[in-house]
Amino acid sequence: MKFSVYQISRQGGRERNEDRMGYAYTRESGLFVLADGMGGHPEGAMAAQLALQTFSAYFQKAANPAVREVPEFLNSALMAAHHQIIRYAAEKGMLDTPRTTLVAAVMERNQMHWVHCGDSRLYIVRDGELLARTRDHSYMEQEAHLGRATDHINRNILFTCLGSPAKPVLDLSGPMQLLQGDRVLMCSDGLWGTVTDSEIVSELARRPLEQAVPELVAMALKRGGPRCDNVTVLAMEWETAEEFQATCVSTEDIDDGVFASTIQSGVPDPTIEDMDDKAIERSIAEINEAIRRTAERNS
């Protein structure tokens, strides 16, 4: 398995950047996750970080070296992330819960499955054409899909997310067969809020990832102006050609049982308040213990 990956996050006019992203892989499987902590609720960055850590822990357990049932894995990991956020809020006695959107994909066996909750998006581009794009869990997108007017609707109002009191609504998609050169882009609404789908497709089609992604981010920040939302993008090209040198990952050279990840699980993020090394390690230990108990029940 071979892919190129490029990720970037830029703070807009917000007080802090509550977006999080990362990827992990084994010899035969790759996980890509992006979460956007929601403003208007406390500790959005914490919700996004917990979501990524939960997915990473579940992936490390499930990918041996491939994930056995990818849709079930994505569903279970998303619900576990939701419950981790709820439990965090309960332990701290919070009156309101941290909340986050999330989009995640697993790529293996030349196929991709993905899941999303909220309005963080995933785009798939092949030969300059948009093959697929997630549909936001927002009232605006819901009305637009029904052919109704949306001018009066705030695009930021979602009807589901991780961390809310209600059970999250999620959409599972795939499998989609991947071909060499296919490009996948995951992003927070800070990108697509000011950059059109056609512009995203055009940039991905005509430039290498390390040029296209920064250009899209710069475009979003410029158009968003002083009050621009944070802009975060994680993009991947499948089975990259040999001459492509930047950020290329080949799993053919790693051994079975090896797990690599850019998702921080034991290092504190300086933008997250009240989260030291011990707190993060305790959180991951709790996730792993929950996975162990589930495995014992299933066996």
Side-chain angles (χ1 to χ4, degrees), residues 2 26 89 106 238:
K2 182 169 59 177
T26 64
V106 170
W238 182 252

Side-chain angles (χ1 to χ4, degrees), residues 10-216:
R10 291 290 181 266
Q11 184 170 346
R14 302 298 172 87
E15 183 179 347
R16 62 169 55 189
N17 188 349
E18 296 187 316
D19 296 352
R20 297 291 182 271
M21 63 183 169
Y23 61 94
Y25 57 90
T26 64
R27 182 177 176 84
E28 297 182 15
S29 186
L31 168 73
F32 303 80
V33 193
L34 184 146
D36 180 356
M38 295 175 62
H41 302 278
E43 300 192 44
M46 175 63 76
Q49 184 70 18
L50 285 174
L52 261 66
Q53 290 175 192
T54 303
F55 263 82
S56 180
Y58 264 61
F59 182 73
Q60 186 172 6
K61 182 73 174 180
N64 294 311
V67 177
R68 191 168 186 177
E69 297 290 342
V70 177
E72 288 79 357
F73 161 79
L74 289 171
N75 182 83
S76 297
L78 186 143
M79 292 307 301
H82 170 69
H83 289 302
Q84 280 296 112
I85 296 168
I86 295 293
R87 181 163 63 177
Y88 172 81
E91 289 177 348
K92 292 195 69 174
M94 301 173 70
L95 297 178
D96 190 15
T97 55
R99 305 183 191 191
T100 185
T101 67
L102 182 133
V103 58
V106 170
M107 303 171 189
E108 60 182 40
R109 307 183 188 97
N110 294 322
Q111 292 183 335
M112 182 175 73
H113 295 78
W114 63 98
V115 67
H116 82 285
C117 178
D119 64 354
S120 290
R121 290 184 180 178
L122 180 144
Y123 294 79
I124 305 173
V125 176
R126 175 182 296 165
D127 296 330
E129 299 292 331
L130 180 63
L131 291 188
R133 193 265 274 177
T134 52
R135 194 168 76 203
D136 308 331
H137 294 133
S138 67
Y139 292 104
M140 181 174 177
E141 184 104 339
Q142 190 177 58
E143 292 297 291
H145 182 69
L146 296 173
R148 299 171 181 168
T150 60
D151 294 343
H152 63 291
I153 302 175
N154 185 339
R155 73 167 180 84
N156 294 316
I157 300 177
L158 308 181
F159 59 80
T160 190
C161 62
L162 273 64
S164 67
K167 181 180 179 180
V169 175
L170 60 90
D171 284 341
L172 279 164
S173 304
M176 176 172 284
Q177 191 74 21
L178 294 170
L179 302 181
Q180 180 174 334
D182 284 355
R183 293 184 171 185
V184 178
L185 181 143
M186 303 163 71
C187 65
S188 62
D189 65 331
L191 182 73
W192 63 257
T194 57
V195 179
T196 66
D197 289 358
S198 60
E199 288 172 325
I200 291 173
V201 172
S202 176
E203 282 295 327
L204 288 178
R206 67 190 184 92
R207 302 192 192 199
L209 291 184
E210 77 271 20
Q211 296 176 12
V213 174
E215 178 62 26
L216 287 168

